[in-house]
Amino acid sequence: AQSVAQPEDQVNVAEGNPLTVKCTYSVSGNPYLFWYVQYPNRGLQFLLKYITGDNLVKGSYGFEAEFNKSQTSFHLKKPSALVSDSALYFCAVRGLYGQNFVFGPGTRLSVLP
Amino acid sequence: DTEVTQTPKHLVMGMTNKKSLKCEQHMGHRAMYWYKQKAKKPPELMFVYSYEKLSINESVPSRFSPECPNSSLLNLHLHALQPEDSALYLCASSQEPTGGTDTQYFGPGTRLTVL
C-alpha cells in the first residue's frame, strides 16, 4: 500500500530565509512524487514532480525538491522564502501502475515578514 | 493552458434540494476526477472517469451521482445531502488515466454548504 507522511503540521520561517517542507513516502516499486500548494479557498496548484533521473527537481515559483531513495524522502525547498509562499503544501505519491494519488496530510507554511 | 474550471464557486443548499456541480477542461485530458476536501485536510478521492466511463467509485454514498457527458465535461449531481457533506469539492483532470507519471491539474473548487 502507498502512504505519504508529512511530519510537520506547521512550518514557520522568516522571509528571506531558506525553507524546507518535509515528505516521506512508502510505495511498492519506483515512486512518482508530486508537490502541490493550496492557497485559502482555492484548488491545488501543481509545483513539481519527480519521475526519474536527476534527484533535484526544479519547479514553479522557485521551488525545488530533492528525491532521496535511501531515506524515502522528497523534501520541498526554496532558497529564499516570500510572505506570499504562505499556504498549505501537500506531498503526493503515485505508484508505477497508475494507482491513484495518495496525499500526505499537508503542512501549513507561514512565512513571517 | 492547464486550466480546469468549476462552477459555481459557492453553493448553499438545503437537505431536500437537488443541485449540480460542473467541471470543464479543454486540455484533451482523458481522465477526470472528483475529490472532497474538508478544512485543513488532504483531498479525498470520490470518483474517477477514464475515457468518459466511470472507473473508480470510492464507496461514495448514492446521494452523490457523477456524470461525464463528454470528454471535456464532468458533473456531480447532489440530492438529499447531509450537513456533514459540506466541504470543498475539487475537480481534476490528467492526460492518461493509467499513467503513473501523469500530473493531475485541479480546478479552484466549489465550496458547498448544506443547511
Side-chain angles (χ1 to χ4, degrees):
Chain A
Q2 304 171 155
S3 66
V4 179
Q6 292 179 244
E8 299 158 317
D9 291 336
Q10 174 93 31
V11 170
N12 296 321
V13 64
E15 187 176 26
N17 283 3
L19 70 86
T20 299
V21 182
K22 295 180 180 178
C23 171
T24 59
Y25 66 90
S26 174
V27 67
S28 300
N30 293 326
Y32 301 123
L33 296 155
F34 300 77
W35 275 104
Y36 286 85
V37 60
Q38 186 175 32
Y39 297 98
N41 297 310
R42 301 291 298 275
L44 277 67
Q45 295 180 28
F46 169 68
L47 285 178
L48 51 80
K49 67 181 178 183
Y50 172 81
I51 303 302
T52 187
D54 194 347
N55 289 343
L56 186 64
V57 179
K58 295 189 182 298
S60 306
Y61 314 119
F63 284 93
E64 58 190 27
E66 186 168 11
F67 172 67
N68 188 317
K69 188 172 184 178
S70 62
Q71 296 185 5
T72 61
S73 67
F74 189 55
H75 301 331
L76 182 70
K77 301 182 180 185
K78 188 173 183 181
S80 179
L82 301 173
V83 172
S84 57
D85 293 329
S86 299
L88 186 58
Y89 289 80
F90 290 103
C91 182
V93 66
R94 200 173 193 184
L96 175 64
Y97 299 106
Q99 298 94 322
N100 290 312
F101 274 22
V102 173
F103 285 93
T107 297
R108 182 160 301 282
L109 173 68
S110 292
V111 181
L112 309 173
Chain B
D1 184 12
T2 56
E3 188 178 25
V4 177
T5 59
Q6 290 187 245
T7 56
K9 290 185 178 180
H10 302 276
L11 179 62
V12 179
M13 59 187 290
M15 290 190 286
T16 58
N17 292 157
K18 287 184 180 180
K19 297 286 184 182
S20 296
L21 309 184
K22 296 183 185 302
C23 173
E24 192 166 3
Q25 58 87 14
H26 294 287
M27 297 177 278
H29 288 175
R30 304 317 301 267
M32 297 186 76
Y33 311 79
W34 280 115
Y35 287 87
K36 174 183 178 180
Q37 186 182 26
K38 290 285 205 178
K40 301 181 182 180
K41 297 292 186 182
E44 300 172 11
L45 183 66
M46 300 175 72
F47 302 104
V48 180
Y49 271 83
S50 171
Y51 295 98
E52 302 163 44
K53 295 189 186 304
L54 183 65
S55 62
I56 293 177
N57 176 340
E58 292 285 357
S59 303
V60 178
S62 60
R63 57 185 183 268
F64 295 91
S65 176
E67 178 196 19
C68 189
N70 60 55
S71 60
S72 300
L73 294 175
L74 187 65
N75 297 323
L76 186 63
H77 303 298
L78 314 172
H79 174 55
L81 295 193
Q82 304 297 310
E84 60 264 29
D85 297 322
S86 298
L88 182 67
Y89 287 84
L90 294 166
C91 174
S93 70
S94 68
Q95 189 148 13
E96 289 294 334
T98 57
T101 62
D102 236 18
T103 299
Q104 289 189 19
Y105 295 95
F106 286 80
T110 294
R111 174 71 61 189
L112 174 66
T113 302
V114 182
L115 301 176

